[in-house]
Structure formats: C-alpha cells, structure tokens
Amino acid sequence: MKNLKPVVLITGASSGIGEAIANKLMAEGYKVYGTSRRGATSGQHRFPMLELDVTDDASVATAVEKLLAREGRIDVLVNNAGFGIAPAVAEESSIEQAKALFDTNFLGVVRMTHAVVPQMRRQGSGRIINMSSILGVVPMPYVALYVASKHAVEGYSESLDHELRTQGIRVSAIEPAYTKTKFEANNIEPDTKRGEYESLRKHLAQVVGEAMKNADEPSVVADVVLTAIRAEKPK
Ligand code: NDP
C-alpha cells in the first residue's frame, strides 16, 4: 500500500533538538528519517537513522537517494545539523575553524537543499525548515563566527522562500534561544587561547552557565517546528 504519511528528513537527529523534532513529528503521524554522521550506530532511536555528513557532497547524495528509493518522496526537510565555537575574541579562532563552521552550519543547509529541492519541485510541494538561532537575527560579541553562520542561514532561507513559493515549496528559519542539549559540550575550542583573555573567558563561561539555567527543553523547539510545518504562510 502506498505510504500516506508525510515523509520527513531531519539532519543531526542523533541528539538534542534534532532528536526532539524527530520524536515529536513521529508522534504526530509523520514518517520520520533522521541522519547522523555515525548512521544507525548513533544510539537507540525509534526512527530509522541514515548515515549522512552534511559537509560531504557524496554522503548527502547517497542518503537522499536511499530515502527516495524507499519512500519515493520528501515532504519536509529539517536542516538541523550544526555546532558552535566556544566564546573567544575574534582572532583566537582560525580561518580553518571559520571554514569548518560555515561548511556545516551554512553550506550543509545549501548541500541538503540542492539535493532535495529537485524532488520537491517534481512533487509541486514541500517544506524546508532551517535551524537558525536567536543569534541568526541578534548579533553578539565573542561568538561572531557562529553569529555570521546563522545570519547566512537566515538570508538564504528568506531568499529561497521567495524563489520557491510559486512551486508550492515554503522555506522557514527557526530561531531557538538557549536550549538544553549537548551543544555547549560539542562546541569546538578556539584555535589559540591568549593568556591575557583568560579572565574574560571565565566571565563568559559564567554568563553562559547562568543563561543555561533558564534554557528551554528541546521539545519547545520541536513544537515550534511542527507549527512552522503546518502553517499556511501567505504567498
Ligand atoms: P547537539 O550537539 O545536541 O546536536 C547537533 C547535531 O548535529 C547532532 O545530532 C550531530 O550529529 C549533528 N551534526 C553535527 N555536525 C554534523 C555534520 N557535519 N553532518 C551531519 N550532522 C552533524 O546540539 P543541538 O541539538 O543544540 O543543535 C541543533 C541545532 O540547533 C544546531 O544547528 C544549533 O546551531 C542550533 N541551536 C542550538 C541552540 C542551543 O542552545 N542548544 C540554540 C539555537 C540554535 P552526529 O554527531 O550524530 O553526526
């Protein structure tokens, strides 16, 4: 029998916000596929997990082909995979780190979009939800590269929405505030740590620690994603 549930692909679904979105959408009757760089070995999940690295063109193509072979369509793409750099003064992060951050947080969204949009065009329908951040709309010192990567996601999403809406495809960006996940733990450290900034670093860690006490649960973000998927946006 033909699968009637809307098919969803969520990148970075092995933990945190991505996993919460996957669980929420499954509970709401969607046919969910998650992705992780470690594939099915990334833990116990109730949804199928495809191996996918958003920084690797071939890996993206293989995962999308596998999903289309199984389901024949993709109704919703959630571009959630991402990471940050621990707070640092600008020149402590290297150009290599800047490239790595953009390769996942921004170009990862672009690669996934290029791989999925042709199928959505054929269907004449689709939803793309891009995980930005409150820092995608509000600048903040000491995390400038992360802020820049999420601002790129915002501009791309808004532009794509205008481009694709005539084809029945809508694109949204979501802006979570601090959320209780492994995000902080998965932050990469700045490339060099200059001694003169040590007290500033301690202060920033304290500020983030305080903010995390009031952080949202990932399920809060998952609720927002569900609302965005269901929303009838004006054309
Ligand atoms: P987690 O560290 O818990 O999850 C990040 C996910 O991204 C993991 O599932 C990881 O999967 C995946 N990932 C990382 N790099 C890649 C890659 N190259 N290819 C594929 N998957 C990758 O953090 P969160 O759940 O908090 O983060 C999810 C998103 O939410 C990110 O885009 C983040 O920027 C954004 N965000 C988070 C906030 C927070 O306070 N937590 C606030 C605002 C936005 P795996 O390691 O299995 O491959």
Side-chain angles (χ1 to χ4, degrees):
M1 201 178 107
K2 204 170 183 315
N3 169 37
L4 296 175
K5 290 181 172 182
V7 177
V8 184
L9 180 61
I10 305 170
T11 65
S14 62
S15 68
I17 292 173
E19 184 180 20
I21 296 167
N23 288 331
K24 177 82 191 172
L25 295 184
M26 253 185 23
E28 294 293 326
Y30 291 79
K31 175 84 182 156
V32 171
Y33 285 80
T35 81
S36 161
R37 284 167 294 185
R38 287 161 291 152
T41 59
S42 65
Q44 291 300 323
H45 296 95
R46 292 184 296 126
F47 47 88
M49 191 72 91
L50 300 171
E51 185 176 338
L52 186 152
D53 182 341
V54 299
T55 66
D56 182 324
D57 294 349
S59 165
V60 168
T62 302
V64 171
E65 278 162 20
K66 209 176 269 182
L67 174 57
L68 288 177
R70 274 193 219 170
E71 300 293 340
R73 59 185 294 115
I74 300 182
D75 298 289
V76 182
L77 167 66
V78 182
N79 285 312
N80 167 75
F83 71 94
I85 301 181
V89 296
E91 66 274 29
E92 288 181 316
S93 297
S94 65
I95 294 300
E96 284 316 308
Q97 289 185 314
K99 285 182 183 171
L101 195 65
F102 270 76
D103 206 13
T104 295
N105 290 9
F106 177 58
L107 294 178
V109 175
V110 177
R111 285 189 190 92
M112 292 302 300
T113 302
H114 287 188
V116 167
V117 159
Q119 173 61 28
M120 289 183 168
R121 284 191 205 272
R122 282 192 288 275
Q123 293 167 190
S125 66
R127 285 270 181 197
I128 300 176
I129 310 290
N130 293 331
M131 198 53 60
S132 174
S133 163
I134 184 68
L135 299 180
V137 283
V138 182
M140 193 166 127
Y142 308 114
V143 283
L145 288 176
Y146 180 75
V147 165
S149 74
K150 293 298 187 181
H151 272 65
V153 170
E154 289 284 337
Y156 186 67
S157 305
E158 187 76 23
S159 302
L160 268 193
D161 187 56
H162 285 280
E163 182 178 325
L164 295 173
R165 62 178 64 179
T166 55
Q167 329 259 317
I169 304 164
R170 301 309 302 265
V171 184
S172 307
I174 303 288
E175 295 91 11
Y178 282 112
T179 309
K180 289 176 194 154
T181 68
K182 294 182 191 154
F183 181 81
E184 299 293 333
N186 288 337
N187 272 347
I188 59 170
E189 288 298 318
D191 202 41
T192 51
K193 284 187 176 176
R194 303 215 181 151
E196 68 267 36
Y197 300 127
E198 238 3 270
S199 60
L200 171 66
R201 215 181 313 284
K202 278 192 189 131
H203 174 67
L204 291 172
Q206 235 171 6
V207 171
V208 172
E210 278 304 310
M212 282 309 286
K213 289 182 189 162
N214 295 315
D216 285 322
E217 295 296 333
S219 61
V220 172
V221 184
D223 286 342
V224 176
V225 169
L226 179 64
T227 305
I229 292 170
R230 287 179 171 163
E232 283 302 323
K233 295 170 83 179
K235 286 220 169 169

